């Protein structure tokens, strides 16, 4: 599925099945993390295709069953991704990061979640966005396990979880305080004191007035996004909301995070369809794309790999990496989250849908596709 006209695309797709050793830290504590991030930036990100959570690296401790799906070595240091099953009673107390953004996708169960000053009960299909200097914590107060995907940007939590896991397997220490000390050396600040940004959780923001219509607009829009602060969010989505659309044979689309909310850091969409919904093979030169399958089956292309995957599958398409998807025709409605970073092409998507509805010419739609940053194969 590799493009024949773009050497960068061919180069990145060729990295799909390669493996990478972990870089050895030369120091300790936060300074070590700073040094690692500077070295990660020198490595080209590679496509990652994981069909089920068990394909991730075990980083568990205590009541947190963690599988690391993406590391700093694989994402040029821009992200780490973790599939976490939280046992009853387990969790992390309120904490914040000085420089990392956190994205949380709830895959199943009921969880008590804190973002800023808001504490809420969340469940499957719900989402949270936590910018730097914003309190975040979670606890499973139910009697059943809870499934989460937690994404950090930039990477670093992957190393923190590795060290916590090493302590667990060598000591089986059940004291939470010791694990919090380990995480603190990697930039987790455990402090329940209110932060200024906490008060902004879920505040409404006006959309940036921007007429997306030509090449160069994507870059200009991202510059506008970057000038506004990121807003902490908890976004609820019920099955009734999804089924009201999907049961009519339509595709459910919901922007749970946009560039307007995230300061341009990312856009996150929740999608659901019974069959046929697809995107053909393409790549983007200036953004990463993630897929997280939560229900049903989806045919996915990632770099030079492809396959039919179900719940728990994870795909990371870095800049210039080929990706595509098609919802398989199963009895169950298929659902998945997508995350794109940086944000921006959600505006181009809206224009493309309007052009389709208006019966615009192929040339007009192709021009908007190019303006939105997509290179089709």
């Amino acid at each position: 599925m590799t493009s024949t006209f773009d050497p960068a695309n061919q180069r990145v797709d060729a990295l799909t099945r390669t493996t990478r050793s972990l870089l050895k830290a030369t120091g300790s504590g936060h300074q070590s993390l700073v040094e690692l991030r500077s070295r990660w930036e020198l490595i080209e990100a590679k496509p990652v295709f994981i069909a089920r959570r068990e394909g991730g690296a075990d980083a568990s401790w205590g009541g947190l069953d963690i599988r690391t799906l993406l590391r700093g070595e694989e994402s040029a240091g821009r992200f780490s991704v973790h599939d976490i099953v939280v046992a009853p009673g387990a969790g992390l107390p309120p904490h914040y990061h000085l420089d990392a953004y956190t994205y949380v996708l709830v895959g199943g169960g009921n969880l008590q979640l804190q973002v800023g000053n808001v504490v809420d009960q969340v469940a499957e299909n719900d989402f949270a966005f936590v910018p730097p200097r914003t309190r975040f914590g979670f606890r499973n107060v139910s009697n059943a396990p809870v499934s989460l995907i937690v994404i950090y940007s930039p990477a670093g939590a992957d190393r923190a979880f590795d060290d916590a896991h090493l302590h667990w397997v060598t000591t089986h220490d059940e004291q939470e305080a010791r694990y919090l000390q380990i995480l603190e050396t990697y930039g987790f600040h455990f402090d329940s004191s209110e932060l200024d940004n906490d008060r902004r959780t879920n505040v409404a923001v006006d959309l940036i007035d921007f007429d997306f219509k030509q090449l160069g607009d994507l870059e200009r829009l991202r510059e506008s996004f970057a000038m506004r602060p990121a807003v902490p969010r908890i976004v609820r989505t019920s099955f009734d909301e999804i089924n009201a659309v999907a049961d009519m044979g339509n595709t459910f689309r919901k922007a749970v995070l946009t560039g307007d909310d995230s300061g341009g850091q990312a856009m996150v969409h929740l999608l659901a369809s019974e069959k046929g919904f697809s995107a053909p093979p393409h790549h983007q030169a200036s953004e990463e794309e993630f897929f997280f399958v939560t229900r049903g089956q989806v045919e996915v292309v990632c770099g030079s790999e492809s396959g039919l995957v179900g719940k728990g599958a994870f795909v990371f398409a870095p800049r210039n990496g080929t990706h595509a998807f098609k919802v398989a025709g199963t009895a169950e409605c298929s659902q998945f989250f997508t995350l794109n970073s940086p944000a921006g092409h959600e505006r181009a998507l809206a224009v493309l849908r309007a052009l389709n509805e208006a019966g615009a010419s192929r040339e007009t739609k192709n021009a908007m596709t190019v303006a939105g940053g997509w290179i089709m194969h």
Side-chain angles (χ1 to χ4, degrees):
M1 305 294 290
T2 302
S3 171
T4 59
F5 59 87
D6 189 334
N9 174 232
Q10 293 181 325
R11 184 182 67 249
V12 171
D13 283 359
L15 298 172
T16 306
R17 294 185 178 89
T18 60
T19 58
R20 289 178 175 169
S21 300
L22 300 186
L23 296 180
K24 185 176 181 179
T26 58
S28 61
H30 185 68
Q31 186 57 41
S32 171
L33 181 58
V34 171
E35 185 264 343
L36 273 174
R37 285 174 174 167
S38 67
R39 293 164 65 196
W40 283 335
E41 290 176 357
L42 303 177
I43 306 173
E44 186 158 43
K46 64 181 292 290
V48 174
F49 184 111
I50 297 178
R52 57 187 62 86
R53 76 180 303 271
E54 290 76 14
D58 189 2
S60 305
W61 80 86
L64 300 177
D65 177 355
I66 302 176
R67 296 296 185 273
T68 295
L69 307 179
L70 185 72
R71 293 184 175 278
E73 281 81 2
E74 298 165 318
S75 68
R78 291 189 283 271
F79 294 92
S80 70
V81 178
H82 311 272
D83 185 316
I84 305 177
V85 176
V86 187
L92 282 178
H95 60 280
Y96 67 94
H97 297 267
L98 292 175
D99 55 1
Y101 295 81
T102 307
Y103 308 82
V104 182
L105 317 175
V106 184
N110 294 280
L111 188 77
Q112 180 175 286
L113 183 73
Q114 177 175 349
V115 175
N117 284 346
V118 176
V119 178
D120 201 356
Q121 293 289 325
V122 296
E124 186 171 350
N125 302 321
D126 293 341
F127 168 80
F129 170 61
V130 190
R133 300 177 185 271
T134 306
R135 285 181 298 165
F136 166 59
F138 60 88
R139 187 71 54 181
N140 183 356
V141 296
S142 73
N143 296 320
V146 177
S147 175
L148 300 175
I149 296 290
V150 183
I151 305 151
Y152 295 95
S153 180
D158 43 334
R159 291 303 180 96
F161 293 164
D162 285 346
D163 281 6
H165 175 66
L166 178 61
H167 182 70
W168 170 254
V169 297
T170 55
T171 69
H172 283 282
D173 186 352
E174 296 185 356
Q175 299 299 312
E176 182 181 68
R178 176 60 188 129
Y179 297 95
L180 302 189
Q181 289 175 352
I182 293 171
L183 300 189
E184 283 179 337
T185 65
Y186 289 91
F188 288 71
H189 296 267
F190 291 93
D191 188 342
S192 60
S193 302
E194 183 181 74
L195 302 171
D196 289 343
N197 208 38
D198 290 344
R199 304 167 194 169
R200 304 185 67 243
T201 302
N202 289 341
V203 301
V205 298
D206 294 328
L207 300 184
I208 290 175
D209 186 12
F210 192 92
D211 187 11
F212 203 122
K213 58 184 179 181
Q214 61 187 359
L215 191 64
D217 279 352
L218 184 62
E219 291 73 22
R220 286 185 282 272
L221 177 61
R222 286 172 174 169
E223 290 173 358
S224 297
F225 281 154
M227 296 178 66
R228 55 169 44 188
V231 178
R233 287 267 182 258
I234 296 177
V235 181
R236 309 292 301 275
T237 304
S238 69
F239 279 111
D240 287 344
E241 183 180 350
I242 294 171
N243 293 338
V245 176
D247 286 350
M248 298 295 291
N250 299 317
T251 296
F252 174 85
R253 299 180 181 90
K254 182 174 181 178
V256 297
L257 185 71
T258 68
D260 295 282
D261 297 318
S262 68
Q265 289 295 315
M267 52 175 272
V268 180
H269 284 185
L270 172 58
L271 301 108
S273 178
E274 290 189 350
K275 60 181 178 179
F277 178 52
S278 65
H282 62 282
H283 66 278
Q284 291 119 272
S286 62
E287 68 187 271
E288 330 276 358
E289 187 158 358
F290 301 72
F291 295 87
F292 303 91
V293 181
T294 58
R295 279 181 179 262
Q297 292 184 310
V298 183
E299 297 173 4
V300 179
V301 174
C302 176
S304 60
E305 198 161 359
S306 63
L308 179 65
V309 296
K311 182 174 181 178
F314 164 68
V315 167
F316 170 62
R319 301 168 191 179
N320 293 308
T322 299
H323 50 287
F325 68 85
K326 181 179 180 180
V327 173
T330 64
E332 184 180 25
C333 179
S334 296
Q335 293 180 203
F336 54 99
F337 282 93
T338 63
L339 183 153
N340 292 72
S341 178
H345 89 224
E346 67 268 36
R347 296 293 188 94
L349 275 174
V351 175
L352 274 171
R353 292 192 193 107
L355 291 173
N356 276 326
E357 292 173 1
S361 68
R362 176 178 294 183
E363 291 75 13
T364 299
K365 291 186 288 187
N366 285 346
M368 179 51 60
T369 298
V370 173
W374 296 286
I375 302 170
M376 310 307 294
H377 295 196

